[in-house]
Amino acid sequence: MTSSSQCFATVPPSPRMTVVSDPVNARLTIALEGDLDCASAPALSARMRMILDRRPVRQVVIDVAGLEFCDIAGARMFLQLRQVVTGTGAAYCLRHPRAHIRWLLHHLDAGHLIEPFGEHG
């Protein structure tokens, strides 16, 4: 018997994404709302990489306050995106995670992705 994990989506892709660019500080803020899971993470990752390829930035902030749900595929996406961003020399962090996302990231030893309190400006 073979075991495989697959994800089947029957709903439109989520999450919704809002991008705010601050050219003065070379900061890109991406706010997410909705659900981030194995069905939506690959498409979102591709969209985010496209955005990052279009503009030089020194800091990327992912505001996850509006995420209602995030599974391990979403957490993996955040880790992979961090590698892409920091590989260009830019800073990267997640801002305003809800308790369940904070719990997930800490249990995956990815708590370092979360912006320290009082650091945003």
Side-chain angles (χ1 to χ4, degrees):
M1 177 176 235
T2 327
S3 123
S4 69
S5 72
Q6 295 181 352
C7 184
F8 299 97
T10 57
V11 294
S14 184
R16 290 168 303 286
M17 178 172 66
T18 304
V19 179
V20 177
S21 181
D22 175 1
V24 173
N25 296 311
R27 179 185 306 150
L28 184 67
T29 302
I30 301 172
L32 302 176
E33 296 177 1
D35 296 339
L36 180 56
D37 55 24
C38 62
S40 61
L44 178 65
S45 178
R47 286 185 2 222
M48 292 171 96
R49 287 173 191 240
M50 246 179 23
I51 290 166
L52 290 169
D53 286 343
R54 292 185 185 158
R55 41 175 75 87
V57 294
R58 285 185 283 168
Q59 182 182 22
V60 175
V61 176
I62 310 296
D63 189 330
V64 295
L67 279 184
E68 298 291 327
F69 175 80
C70 179
D71 70 5
I72 195 162
R76 269 195 214 120
M77 187 209 73
F78 290 135
L79 285 164
Q80 291 166 350
L81 192 60
R82 178 185 180 271
Q83 286 181 322
V84 170
V85 171
T86 58
T88 68
Y92 174 88
C93 69
L94 300 180
R95 186 178 284 170
H96 306 129
R98 292 178 182 213
H100 64 283
I101 295 172
R102 186 177 295 278
W103 179 90
L104 175 64
L105 293 171
H106 281 292
H107 280 78
L108 294 172
D109 287 329
H112 61 280
L113 297 180
I114 300 170
E115 177 183 57
F117 291 110
E119 292 292 315
H120 60 283

